[in-house]
Amino acid sequence: MIPGEIADYRELARRRLPRFLFEYIDGGAGAQTTLRHNVSDFEQVKLRQRVMRDVSKLDLSTTLFGQPLSMPVALAPVGLSGLYARRGECQAAKAAERAGIRMSLSTLSLCGVEEVSRATGDPIWFQLYMIKDRGFMRDMLARARESGCSVLLFTVDLPVAGARWADARTGLANGHLPAAQFERMKAMAARPGWLWNVGLMGQPHDFGNVAPAMGKGGVREFWRWVGASFDTTVTWKDMDWVREHWDRPMVIKGVLDPEDARASVAAGADGIVVSNHGGRQLDGVSSTIAALPKIADAVGDKTTVLLDGGVRCGTDVVRALALGAKGVLIGRPWAYALAARGGAGVSAMLEQFRKEIGITLALAGVPDVKMLGRDALDAQEN
Ligand code: FNR
């Protein structure tokens, strides 16, 4: 199959990955209502078709946090990506560099921040969770700084992990139970290509960033560490601590409420990501595209507002910018593409996005992404 839409990459990923990994990427929390709405609510946002405008020169470029990007898209932090393809985070970082955009590296990646930074000539963005052990956090921030990371994404919507039932069913969670181990073994045996390419040749499977705190260990040890280490006491006061230890742009990821958006600005955030963690945390909350306009109205003139969740094509990027975002992050699209075709798949998928953003701009009669605003939307959206 020659993949075109994200659905094609998803199908290829389903065929290539062991079930516990595919469902980890694909699934959401609870009844997955928010996950579905993240995608379906984009369809409700209607653009204006404008004609007889000069669209001979299209400008997709933008600048985020002082960094020029070829289009207003970045790769969202996605944990465990080194299991989707061999040294997957490095492959994705190189694809982002080729596309002239930025990759965000998850705390919970297999390749550590040094390895990924060495793989690309561009500075990557680094994502951090609040961990109880402040010594670990201080060291992690220092490692990110020394590796040249240019932006910190500080994820605040995961004091505890959402209820992701698929992970229990597939054996990814509860890794210590014999039944879970059996499920994982069965799933790996059913994917010999993955077993050879990633399972064997993609080693080591240490968690490069958290290894100093967690030690060596596989999936089982990893979940135990995650469960024991995330700090549930964090409040806005703790942002001062983060600010003291990070002097480059800091973006708060996981804001869905205008009040929290204002608090983020008060806490000194250079940006926020309107996000519900891709529908993986609190099920039943609003989609991000539905939450965006009120947040953009509240803080859009004070901080850089980004959005993620449900962005599946270039037209969605244009819709988000029209509703007030300055850029978007994409999560599952690059995870599927990486699993489907490695770094080349991520590159091809990003070029699809670029092409479709261009087509959408041309047909909406807006030649520059920086000119997008609510006037690009059908009157009923305003
Ligand atoms: C994520 N996300 C995420 N976010 C984060 O801050 N740190 C992380 O380690 C992860 N890990 C992760 C794994 C997987 C498999 C997915 C799908 C997502 C959330 C991610 O950054 C982003 O918010 C969502 O993926 C955006 O929604 P879409 O684009 O997947 O619909």
Side-chain angles (χ1 to χ4, degrees), residues 93 165 303 331:
W165 307 125
T303 196

Side-chain angles (χ1 to χ4, degrees), residues 1 4-12 312 336:
M1 186 210 292
E5 298 176 278
I6 297 306
D8 300 337
Y9 288 104
R10 177 178 179 274
E11 174 55 21
L12 288 172
R312 295 292 178 266
Y336 296 140

Side-chain angles (χ1 to χ4, degrees), residues 13-334:
R14 196 185 61 73
R15 291 185 205 166
R16 291 185 78 146
L17 290 175
R19 183 165 165 239
F20 62 89
L21 283 178
F22 175 73
E23 301 233 352
Y24 171 67
I25 299 172
D26 203 52
Q32 310 199 126
T33 321
T34 297
L35 172 67
R36 284 192 298 277
H37 289 171
N38 271 354
V39 175
S40 62
D41 282 359
F42 265 106
E43 293 169 11
Q44 311 299 321
V45 180
K46 297 194 178 54
L47 294 165
R48 282 170 84 190
Q49 169 178 298
R50 301 302 309 275
V51 296
M52 303 297 281
R53 296 182 157 207
D54 181 354
V55 290
S56 57
K57 289 194 193 70
L58 299 175
D59 189 354
L60 276 62
S61 69
T62 193
T63 301
L64 292 178
F65 314 110
Q67 299 161 39
L69 305 181
S70 70
M71 58 178 167
V73 174
L75 303 188
V78 168
L80 310 192
S81 319
L83 292 177
Y84 311 156
R86 193 187 298 182
R87 311 314 285 163
E89 291 93 0
C90 293
Q91 293 202 49
K94 286 186 208 160
E97 180 182 2
R98 284 193 291 273
I101 65 161
R102 291 290 186 266
M103 183 239 190
S104 320
L105 183 68
S106 161
T107 311
L108 307 178
S109 58
L110 271 79
C111 302
V113 65
E114 295 84 1
E115 182 181 347
V116 181
S117 296
R118 270 197 308 273
T120 160
D122 281 347
I124 58 171
W125 294 357
F126 185 72
Q127 177 267 325
L128 192 63
Y129 289 113
M130 198 60 131
I131 307 294
K132 284 180 195 157
D133 178 352
R134 294 291 193 275
F136 164 76
M137 287 197 59
R138 202 176 39 239
D139 293 349
M140 196 64 252
L141 288 169
R143 286 172 62 191
R145 192 175 329 101
E146 277 154 30
S147 301
C149 298
S150 53
V151 170
L152 177 71
L153 295 177
F154 192 70
T155 301
V156 295
D157 58 4
L158 204 142
V160 297
R164 301 179 204 159
W165 307 125
D167 293 345
R169 211 164 38 232
T170 62
L172 185 69
N174 303 321
H176 58 289
L177 299 178
Q181 282 171 18
F182 181 65
E183 276 303 318
R184 289 207 306 277
M185 304 276 264
K186 247 186 7 194
M188 287 191 280
R191 293 290 182 270
W194 177 90
L195 205 49
W196 170 256
N197 246 310
V198 190
L200 217 59
M201 304 306 285
Q203 305 229 10
H205 289 164
D206 298 336
F207 292 86
N209 294 323
V210 302
M214 173 186 129
K216 287 194 184 303
V219 162
R220 175 180 168 175
E221 180 56 23
F222 169 73
W223 289 121
R224 195 202 56 73
W225 182 83
V226 167
S229 307
F230 278 44
D231 191 346
T232 49
T233 69
V234 184
T235 66
W236 291 110
K237 290 197 302 292
D238 295 286
M239 295 314 300
D240 293 342
W241 187 93
V242 178
R243 263 275 160 244
E244 270 169 40
H245 292 85
W246 182 260
D247 54 5
R248 297 178 190 162
M250 195 242 327
V251 177
I252 297 187
K253 175 174 181 285
V255 172
L256 202 64
D257 190 282
E259 262 182 54
D260 288 337
R262 285 191 202 95
S264 303
V265 172
D270 300 284
I272 59 170
V273 185
V274 177
S275 175
N276 51 33
H277 217 97
R280 300 164 76 81
Q281 284 297 101
L282 182 56
D283 189 42
V285 293
S286 164
S287 69
T288 51
I289 194 68
L292 175 65
K294 276 192 192 147
I295 295 179
D297 287 346
V299 299
D301 56 346
K302 298 180 189 75
T303 196
T304 301
V305 176
L306 306 177
L307 168 139
D308 74 21
V311 177
R312 295 292 178 266
C313 60
T315 305
D316 291 343
V317 179
V318 172
R319 287 166 162 144
L321 265 62
L323 281 170
K326 292 285 179 269
V328 304
L329 273 56
I330 52 174
R332 290 182 184 81
W334 79 261

